[in-house]
Amino acid sequence: MQRRRRTATIAVVSALGMTVVLGGCGLGGSDEVTLRLVAADYGDDAGSSSQKYWDELVSAYEAKHPGVTVDVSVHSWNDVDRKVREMVDAGKAPDMAQIGAYADYAAKDLLYRADDVLSIPVQANFVSQLATAGQVSSVQYGMPFASSTRVLFYNKTLFAQAGITPPTTWDELAAGAAALKAEGVKYPYALPLGPEEAQAETMQWMLSGGGGYTDTVGSYGIDSPQNVDTFTWLKDELVGKGLTGPVAPGDLNRADAFAAFTEGDVGMLNGHPSLMEAAAKKGVKFGMVPTPGAEGESRATLGVADWMTAFKQNGHQEEIGDFLDFVYEDENVLDFSRRYDLLPVTTSAFEVMSGSEQDAELRPFLDELQLSEMYPVGQTSWAEVSAAVKKQMGRAVAPGGSPEDVLGRLQSLAMRAESAE
């Protein structure tokens, strides 16, 4: 494969077919190189830990590359970003980190560009929305590693008891929630705006109302008229009418909402692919439909990506690139996606899954991926803005709360964070 921007030449093939090593430090040479990768854990327990996936993948890679050792340490999502931050701050950056954000490292010139390390076909194979979301100032630093989208899950049994069908509009959603409440359903619509993942539910609703965190040119527009209208509707038509359950949205975390759905206590909620297996294990009969919008199916859905990054500090540009090209081979992308009910980040793997009966359950999410919009992760201010959304968004729909005021405060914070960059 053709590569770009590599600092060393690995080998040339002479006219006699003999390979002559000209340079490089490890691939085909005499030097032993150890690459260190810090990765996030997508498993639920030791048996499903991502460590098993990486051990198998590394074993296959090292068998073909005896000069390179890859040392992978896997950490929970609660710890992995902090762990990498501590390593970087201590001057001991890993060669690669598979984490939730990349823009602040790119802004400090700590990362290789994607085209510094990946071959041209591999970089060109990323799903376009994901590749674009990995850019800072039109340069890709974040390499998408895993992705997911959101759809509306509904409990078929509870819907049948209430005599309702899946909604396509907000008004239909509210009417369905009222019917579910009349049947004694604990959470007619579960609205998790608690501190765990409020930024996701918030963006999903913003998109369904024609808004978003940013405007069409990428500037923050958190307090846009569309977003204010969306959360005013939520406050008045769902929360204010007691259709979101016994736990205040600002106190309800996504994990708790998912758990309640698997117990049969939720009529409907926004969910990602992992909820399918959890609900099926508990015997919940569920359906999935595109997110309802203000006047019809939402024009876009939330897409989420996790990122692979390559740090410059240790200078293993060639070896990192060769290993990452292996990571992004279809066989490995498909293996990881299928293990953890995630969506593939490469176009070729996406096409395989879209046409495979084996992956039929993921098709609703695959269909949404090409219509999805991502968090503004390319802005170094996003981490601060996201943290503020987690803390404050629940207040917008609380009794006595003001969506306009909360969104206005978040917009002011976002603008200050941007200007401080």
Side-chain angles (χ1 to χ4, degrees), residues 34 67 78 129 153-154 179 202 211 216-217 250 254 261 311 323 376 380 401 420:
T34 297
N78 293 329
Q129 293 97 319
F153 281 72
Y154 66 96
T202 295
T216 55
V217 296
R254 188 267 306 164
F261 186 83
F311 285 86
F323 177 68
T380 57

Side-chain angles (χ1 to χ4, degrees), residues 85 88-89 103-111 380:
R85 174 72 58 194
V88 171
D89 290 346
D104 51 346
Y105 296 125
K108 296 175 182 177
D109 197 29
L110 300 177
L111 301 179
T380 57

Side-chain angles (χ1 to χ4, degrees), residues 40-42 75-81 98-101 306-307:
D41 196 352
Y42 291 81
H75 303 269
S76 76
W77 273 110
N78 293 329
D79 300 323
V80 66
D81 288 284
Q98 185 265 299
I99 47 181
D306 302 323
W307 305 97

Side-chain angles (χ1 to χ4, degrees), residues 160-379:
Q161 291 172 355
I164 58 176
T165 57
T168 59
T169 67
W170 288 356
D171 287 345
E172 290 176 2
L173 187 150
L180 290 164
K181 181 181 179 181
E183 290 293 319
V185 175
K186 190 173 182 179
Y187 292 91
Y189 177 86
L191 181 65
L193 293 175
E196 179 195 6
E197 204 181 39
Q199 83 285 358
E201 186 76 8
T202 295
M203 185 167 174
Q204 186 77 356
W205 276 97
M206 285 178 169
L207 291 172
S208 72
Y213 284 116
T214 56
D215 59 24
T216 55
V217 296
S219 299
Y220 281 111
I222 297 173
D223 62 347
S224 69
Q226 296 93 328
N227 292 340
V228 172
D229 288 347
T230 293
F231 280 87
T232 299
W233 186 89
L234 272 174
K235 180 177 183 294
D236 294 343
E237 302 300 325
L238 286 188
V239 182
K241 293 183 178 179
L243 301 179
T244 54
V247 179
D251 296 326
L252 182 64
N253 282 324
R254 188 267 306 164
D256 296 328
F258 278 21
F261 186 83
T262 67
E263 294 297 329
D265 292 332
V266 175
M268 49 186 155
L269 82 171
N270 289 321
H272 54 62
S274 69
L275 183 56
M276 294 189 302
E277 183 178 359
K281 283 182 177 178
K282 292 293 188 73
V284 174
K285 296 180 180 179
F286 63 89
M288 299 176 291
V289 294
T291 303
E295 298 180 355
E297 183 180 314
S298 178
R299 64 173 178 82
T301 189
L302 169 64
V304 177
D306 302 323
W307 305 97
M308 179 69 74
T309 56
F311 285 86
K312 293 180 177 180
Q313 180 178 324
N314 302 315
H316 296 144
Q317 182 179 358
E318 289 287 346
E319 293 79 11
I320 290 170
D322 194 74
F323 177 68
L324 290 180
D325 276 357
F326 181 75
V327 168
Y328 286 111
E329 288 182 3
D330 278 356
E331 178 184 1
N332 298 323
V333 172
L334 289 167
D335 182 14
F336 186 86
S337 300
R338 287 165 171 162
R339 286 194 195 203
Y340 298 106
D341 287 328
L342 292 165
L343 305 184
V345 297
T346 63
T347 300
S348 53
F350 178 90
E351 291 172 350
V352 170
M353 291 188 78
S354 294
S356 170
E357 285 304 312
Q358 176 183 350
D359 304 301
E361 286 188 338
L362 284 171
R363 203 155 292 149
F365 300 95
L366 291 163
D367 291 343
E368 293 293 315
L369 182 61
Q370 294 182 323
L371 299 174
S372 65
E373 294 189 16
M374 306 287 161
Y375 300 129
V377 290
Q379 297 176 226

Side-chain angles (χ1 to χ4, degrees), residues 381-392:
S381 58
W382 171 242
E384 183 177 353
V385 173
S386 176
V389 170
K390 292 178 182 180
K391 291 179 181 178
Q392 299 182 33

